[in-house]
């Protein structure tokens, strides 16, 4: 397991045992990219509120989670997506999904375009462009490239086959390249995406567990 993944896994385990500092570590490592995903679903004005609702559920249900850092990111993404879809239904708005999702089934891309995109896309300058993609492509790109899920975990989050997610991500990244070509100022000097997880000062272990009071968004 990679260093950052090992640290996040240790932090999740410690947070499950009641370590409030560990929960903050988990939040700071996962929240920025999770918020980017929520923005593609509900738009910027409502993203913070929806993400807050997702984190409240994550905190409440954390003791039910079982898995490592990768599985935690997928679990958190599924919770965030469900909260976003609830919000969309409540507000009477629907995501603008382009095309029939079933046409993607069984047509995986030839290569893992998400990995290639990490070398080219800049998070800040492209999230607004990602929002211009058909919804299925936007979600696939954000889950693969920004949140950092593999195709299988992203597919579980979306309720699709891995091949469909790979193809949607491939098509979305191709369209992003076209959009960047049409609007060079949006791209600027394209920097690589920041590391998937922020380095931690020290690994959190269950030995440092403290009892937690109820967590609030202000505490995170």
């Amino acid at each position: 397991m990679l260093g950052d993944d090992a640290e996040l896994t240790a932090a999740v385990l410690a947070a499950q045992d009641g370590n409030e500092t560990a929960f903050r570590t988990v939040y700071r490592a996962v929240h920025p990219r999770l918020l980017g995903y929520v923005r593609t679903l509900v738009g910027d004005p409502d993203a913070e509120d929806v993400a807050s609702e997702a984190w409240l559920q994550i905190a409440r249900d954390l003791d039910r989670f079982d898995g490592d850092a990768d599985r935690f990111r997928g679990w958190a993404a599924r919770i965030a997506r469900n909260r976003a879809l609830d919000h969309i239904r409540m507000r009477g708005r629907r995501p603008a999904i382009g095309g029939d999702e079933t046409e993607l089934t069984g047509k995986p891309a030839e290569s893992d375009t998400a990995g290639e995109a990490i070398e080219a896309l800049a998070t800040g300058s492209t999230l607004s462009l990602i929002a211009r993609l058909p919804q299925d492509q936007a979600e696939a790109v954000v889950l693969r490239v920004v949140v950092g899920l593999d195709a299988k975990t992203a597919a579980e989050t979306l309720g699709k086959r891995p091949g469909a997610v790979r193809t949607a991500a491939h098509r979305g990244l191709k369209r992003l390249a076209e959009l960047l070509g049409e609007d060079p100022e949006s791209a600027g000097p394209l920097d690589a995406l920041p590391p998937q997880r922020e380095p931690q000062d020290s690994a959190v272990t269950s030995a440092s567990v403290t009892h937690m009071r109820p967590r609030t968004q202000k505490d995170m």
Side-chain angles (χ1 to χ4, degrees):
M1 186 180 295
L2 297 177
D4 286 347
D5 271 355
E7 290 173 2
L8 180 55
T9 299
V12 169
L13 290 172
Q16 288 178 311
D17 283 338
N19 188 323
E20 186 172 347
T21 300
F23 187 82
R24 288 198 183 102
T25 297
V26 172
Y27 176 84
R28 290 167 183 162
V30 176
H31 176 70
R33 292 167 185 267
L34 198 67
L35 179 61
Y37 176 44
V38 173
R39 281 196 177 108
T40 68
L41 295 170
V42 302
D44 192 62
D46 299 325
E48 289 282 359
D49 288 342
V50 173
S52 295
E53 292 173 6
W55 278 105
L56 287 173
Q57 182 177 344
I58 290 168
R60 185 178 67 246
D61 296 344
L62 185 60
D63 60 342
R64 303 178 188 175
F65 171 74
D66 182 24
D68 59 10
D70 280 334
R71 290 186 64 84
F72 180 82
R73 285 190 289 269
W75 180 71
R78 285 193 294 277
I79 290 174
R81 186 174 195 267
N82 288 337
R83 296 288 69 76
L85 295 180
D86 287 345
H87 179 81
I88 290 167
R89 284 190 289 268
M90 183 180 66
R91 296 292 297 270
R93 291 180 286 114
R94 300 289 181 183
I97 298 176
D100 181 0
E101 295 176 0
T102 60
E103 71 175 346
L104 302 178
T105 303
K107 299 180 181 178
E110 294 181 359
S111 63
D112 185 355
T113 52
E116 298 166 2
I118 291 177
E119 302 300 325
L121 297 179
T123 300
S125 63
T126 57
L127 281 178
S128 61
L129 294 179
I130 290 174
R132 295 166 59 183
L133 298 174
Q135 191 70 27
D136 61 322
Q137 295 177 15
E139 286 196 71
V141 169
V142 173
L143 287 175
R144 297 294 321 276
V145 182
V146 179
V147 180
L149 304 184
D150 60 25
K152 180 180 178 181
T153 305
E156 291 173 352
T157 300
L158 298 174
K160 298 180 180 180
R161 295 182 181 180
V165 173
R166 282 193 292 268
T167 301
H170 177 79
R171 293 180 178 179
L173 291 169
K174 182 178 179 181
R175 178 55 183 155
L176 275 180
E178 295 170 354
L179 291 173
L180 290 171
E182 293 170 3
D183 188 5
E185 292 184 2
S186 297
L190 290 181
D191 302 316
L193 280 170
Q196 175 62 35
R197 291 157 295 282
E198 298 175 1
Q200 308 300 331
D201 293 335
S202 60
V204 181
T205 66
S206 57
S208 60
V209 167
T210 60
H211 290 292
M212 297 175 64
R213 58 183 171 82
R215 309 179 189 95
T216 66
Q217 186 72 8
K218 181 178 180 181
D219 291 330
M220 299 172 187

